Amino acid sequence: MNTKLLPVTPESIAEAGEIIRAGGLVGFPTETVYGLGANALNGDAVRMIFEAKGRPGDNPLITHVATEAEIPPLIRGHIPAAARALMDAYWPGPMTLIFPKSDLIPPEVSAGLDTVGIRMPSHPAARALIQAAGVPIAAPSANRSGRPSPTTAKHVMDDMDGRIPLILDGGPCDVGVESTVIDVTGDVPRVLRPGGVTPEMIAKACGAVEVDGAVMRPLREGEKPRSPGMKYRHYAPTGDLTIFEGEAEAVARAICARYDEAPDNAAILALPGHEALYGARRVIPLGQADSASSVAAALFAVLRQLDDEGAEHIFSEAVDAEGVGLAVMNRLGRAAAFHIVKV
Ligand code: TXA
Ligand code: MG
């Protein structure tokens, strides 16, 4: 299959909408990461997503809508008060809410669960695509399973060339990490995957929040995850990754010592402004500015770069696990199999 890469225009959106309506797949930008979309109401189309990604069949997909009116037919029961407050505060935006699902959602989307994740993205191209398709769009991140999520159209092309007919190029993604997944089926909203909507923001909108314990540690032996995605390491760099946490100068001394002992092909991930602490060693800056949102926006591109360059020993600074920093440490921590050294 020949994969077309088109800039976002009214014509390319119409073409993409047509492909989705006809049961095909499209790579498209969102404010978080690029998605690989199919008609969420068509189980056969959704199955093709799993094939194109090489995704385990037990990991459910998020259903994307452009308007609230699309939601009631997709869920079972009413919208709980906490969910209502979150929707009013943070949609459209980088937040996915888990509801009991209706029969309209095929088992391919929910991977056999009786719940469905719904997200209303803010990216204008994503919204226009959902409207052009005229159906809700099921979309995971548009990477091949086990690769970092794509934050540019080129990343999607690198992973999906020849597997899908069309990728819409909307430039680099703003947020850079996937949406916050929040289970709103219980009494207190529970964060299953941290993202751009932070626990602090959730508590502010609806008074309470819980962060699932498995967000910052590996699953325990025999533990059943609340979200199937927690089972998977998602992405493991080709090289071994260790994270160092502590005061900046002490971290730099510890990293330099390990770097200097390492054989060839070592690399350091450091916050912008910290490069000088590492002298002539090979440093890849984590973002443009020393802020968690800048690190989030850069993170997946940096991880792809490490693989492209064949880095074998990777030493990374930690970021404060506050605000969107929690999402960064969740993704970085998993990439490192939670190998975190406290300095
Ligand atoms: O920002 C995002 O969320 C991006 C863009 C494209 O919207 N999508 C995305 O999808 O990251 P994906 O499939 O890569 O990650 C979805 C995560 C998985 O960890 C999955 O296990 C979890 O959401 N999930 C989906 N439906 C769920 C459900 N019903 N219950 C629990 N977890 C669910
Ligand atoms: Mg993904």
Side-chain angles (χ1 to χ4, degrees):
M1 184 185 302
N2 187 22
T3 302
K4 271 205 276 191
L5 179 62
L6 296 177
V8 173
T9 61
E11 292 74 32
S12 66
I13 292 279
E15 183 176 341
E18 195 52 56
I19 291 172
I20 301 255
R21 251 202 316 283
L25 307 185
V26 174
F28 67 99
T30 85
E31 69 278 21
T32 57
V33 300
Y34 274 72
L36 179 61
N39 178 354
L41 308 180
N42 177 341
D44 292 332
V46 170
R47 214 170 299 128
M48 288 164 50
I49 293 179
F50 286 82
E51 280 162 28
K53 278 182 64 92
R55 181 179 176 102
D58 67 348
N59 198 4
L61 306 181
I62 294 168
T63 297
H64 298 71
V65 298
T67 61
E68 236 187 86
E70 296 160 66
I71 297 173
L74 306 176
I75 68 174
R76 186 160 41 78
H78 66 287
I79 293 175
R84 175 82 266 158
L86 291 169
M87 290 160 64
D88 291 344
Y90 305 121
W91 269 355
M95 176 178 80
T96 297
L97 299 179
I98 308 290
F99 296 101
K101 80 172 197 73
S102 78
D103 292 340
L104 261 191
I105 296 289
E108 287 83 356
V109 170
S110 59
L113 299 179
D114 56 7
T115 53
V116 60
I118 308 238
R119 171 158 117 79
M120 188 189 293
S122 63
H123 196 293
R127 301 174 63 75
L129 174 61
I130 297 163
Q131 275 171 325
V135 289
I137 293 184
S141 49
N143 51 288
R144 298 220 60 207
S145 242
R147 295 263 293 153
S149 290
T151 52
T152 66
K154 178 180 183 295
H155 295 161
V156 182
M157 191 54 121
D158 288 344
D159 282 13
M160 291 295 158
D161 192 12
R163 296 171 173 268
I164 60 175
L166 176 62
I167 299 166
L168 296 174
D169 186 353
C173 300
D174 284 342
V175 179
V177 290
E178 307 89 340
S179 63
T180 308
V181 176
I182 311 170
D183 183 349
V184 291
T185 62
D187 290 336
V188 177
R190 174 180 284 263
V191 175
L192 303 182
R193 180 178 71 180
V197 170
T198 65
E200 295 85 343
M201 291 164 70
I202 298 167
K204 183 158 173 255
C206 60
V209 63
E210 281 170 9
V211 177
D212 199 272
V215 160
M216 274 313 293
R217 58 162 171 79
L219 282 176
R220 305 202 168 99
E221 182 82 19
E223 179 178 3
K224 185 175 184 301
R226 300 216 188 215
S227 175
M230 290 171 163
K231 277 202 301 248
Y232 299 103
R233 192 160 161 203
H234 287 280
Y235 160 73
T238 314
D240 54 285
L241 168 62
T242 311
I243 303 169
F244 293 76
E245 210 170 59
E247 182 270 321
E249 262 112 48
V251 162
R253 272 195 303 276
I255 289 182
C256 287
R258 290 284 299 278
Y259 181 102
D260 293 345
E261 284 164 10
D264 281 354
N265 259 327
I268 296 167
L269 307 185
L271 291 166
H274 290 185
E275 292 91 337
L277 298 171
Y278 298 98
R281 297 172 184 86
R282 179 174 165 220
V283 176
I284 301 175
L286 276 168
Q288 311 288 309
D290 184 353
S291 73
S293 55
S294 172
V295 176
L299 182 64
F300 289 138
V302 165
L303 295 177
R304 280 179 181 255
Q305 183 187 343
L306 287 168
D307 279 350
D308 291 347
E309 293 177 1
E312 283 168 38
H313 308 278
I314 308 156
F315 308 105
S316 181
E317 295 183 353
V319 304
D320 290 335
E322 266 165 40
V324 75
L326 179 65
V328 170
M329 286 306 289
N330 166 264
R331 308 307 191 277
L332 202 54
R334 284 165 154 258
F338 291 102
H339 190 194
I340 301 176
V341 176
K342 298 209 166 36
V343 179

